[in-house]
Amino acid sequence: MNIYKASDYEDMGRIAAKIIAAEVVLKPDCVLGLATGSSPVSTYEHLIKWYEEGYLDFSKVKTVNLDEYVGLSEDNDQSYHYFMDTCLFSRINIDKNNTYIPDGVCKDAEAECDDYEKKIENLGGIDIQVLGIGQNGHIGFNEPGKSFVKRTHVVELTKSTIEANKRFFEDVSMVPTSAITMGIGTIMKARKIIMLVNGEGKADILARAFKGDITPEVPASILQLHPDVTIVADEAALSRMNEI
Ligand code: F6R
């Protein structure tokens, strides 16, 4: 496990974007696994800037996203489709046909999960997967539980995730209660993982994930078994790493 200590949120984004940019330069048709939420926004801003300055070309890059809310269509401004479009895809020269996100309004969610898993396999797997971490240790929407779910699946969101995500919605009652997410096995197959973590509020869960026991009660703890994980975090988020 590599740890980069960032001076602040902006610096965290710059470091993570450099790692992603290196991949895009070395492998122009790479498969990037992407995340939504607050953690990766500054990373995406840096990638957009370097694209605008002519340093990056995304024309052959493919992307797969971790998850999508069930029940939200692409044009819903709270959907992860919408987020990716506004925060990254519409601002770089990526071919939208090469971007994949689970369909939250599909008719058959089980079939959608199987298809998504196959899509990732057919793309040749994920080169770099970007992750955030939930306050409860979730990665993607793999919530704490009794076992690790391997493949892409439909998940009921926990109360803590719904509470954490209500900040993006007008009212907590509008936060979807389920989602489609890549499974733990899907994420673990990525060749490289970058986890972005900032703020004191994540210090405890980050330490439990990487210094505590490997347990499905802290889904991110499985990453201790991944051979190529890079944590990019600010000082506040790293503050408890030596305490456990
Ligand atoms: C997002 C995702 C989630 C978030 C996590 C952290 O696609 O899968 O696991 O990465 O909830 O969210 P933020 O970054 O908003 O703190």
Side-chain angles (χ1 to χ4, degrees):
M1 170 176 76
N2 308 310
I3 301 180
Y4 284 95
K5 193 190 275 186
S7 54
D8 54 20
Y9 176 73
E10 148 83 14
D11 190 39
M12 176 179 88
R14 187 180 315 108
I15 296 168
K18 275 192 205 166
I19 299 169
I20 297 169
E23 184 75 22
V24 171
V25 170
L26 291 171
K27 189 176 177 192
D29 61 348
C30 62
V31 178
L32 300 179
L34 301 178
T36 59
S38 319
S39 308
V41 173
S42 84
T43 304
Y44 298 155
E45 287 296 330
H46 282 91
L47 293 174
I48 293 163
K49 182 166 176 282
W50 297 335
Y51 158 70
E52 286 171 350
E53 289 171 354
Y55 297 120
L56 290 176
D57 173 15
F58 291 89
S59 59
K60 297 199 187 84
V61 169
K62 292 150 203 133
T63 65
V64 284
N65 262 76
L66 283 168
D67 39 24
E68 177 59 285
Y69 287 119
V70 166
L72 300 194
S73 61
E74 284 187 27
D75 52 359
N76 184 311
D77 62 6
Q78 295 305 333
S79 73
Y80 287 170
H81 277 81
Y82 194 93
F83 176 100
M84 288 311 301
D85 210 39
T86 48
C87 292
L88 185 66
F89 298 154
S90 65
R91 299 163 65 192
I92 55 176
N93 68 331
I94 198 158
D95 178 348
K96 278 291 293 289
N97 296 317
N98 287 337
T99 66
Y100 302 94
I101 303 177
D103 180 1
V105 289
C106 57
K107 290 219 171 62
D108 182 345
E110 294 306 321
E112 173 65 13
C113 292
D114 282 351
D115 279 1
Y116 201 66
E117 202 66 38
K118 274 184 209 123
K119 244 172 229 163
I120 297 173
E121 270 166 40
N122 291 341
L123 289 170
I126 299 166
D127 289 301
I128 296 190
Q129 177 64 55
V130 176
L131 294 177
I133 185 170
Q135 302 281 357
N136 62 4
H138 72 212
I139 46 175
F141 274 138
N142 291 276
E143 298 284 47
K146 300 247 170 301
S147 59
F148 293 109
V149 182
K150 285 191 208 143
R151 291 168 66 85
T152 300
H153 59 285
V154 178
V155 63
E156 295 302 316
L157 302 179
T158 60
K159 246 178 139 185
S160 112
T161 297
I162 293 172
E163 273 297 310
N165 287 1
K166 75 175 183 203
R167 66 193 196 275
F168 299 112
F169 293 80
E170 263 174 48
D171 185 90
V172 68
S173 66
M174 295 170 89
V175 186
T177 54
S178 58
I180 294 178
T181 181
M182 280 186 199
I184 289 290
T186 329
I187 295 170
M188 287 294 280
K189 275 191 269 175
R191 288 182 267 282
K192 186 178 186 67
I193 290 191
I194 311 180
M195 175 169 271
L196 306 173
V197 199
N198 67 296
E200 209 187 328
K202 297 272 179 79
D204 188 51
I205 194 64
L206 183 63
R208 284 174 61 209
F210 287 94
K211 294 296 178 89
D213 292 339
I214 298 172
T215 162
E217 294 296 336
V218 182
S221 64
I222 194 79
L223 297 173
Q224 292 181 38
L225 299 178
H226 192 283
D228 193 346
V229 176
T230 299
I231 300 171
V232 187
D234 66 3
E235 208 164 328
L238 289 169
S239 61
R240 300 214 53 204
M241 281 293 261
N242 293 326
E243 286 177 24
I244 290 183

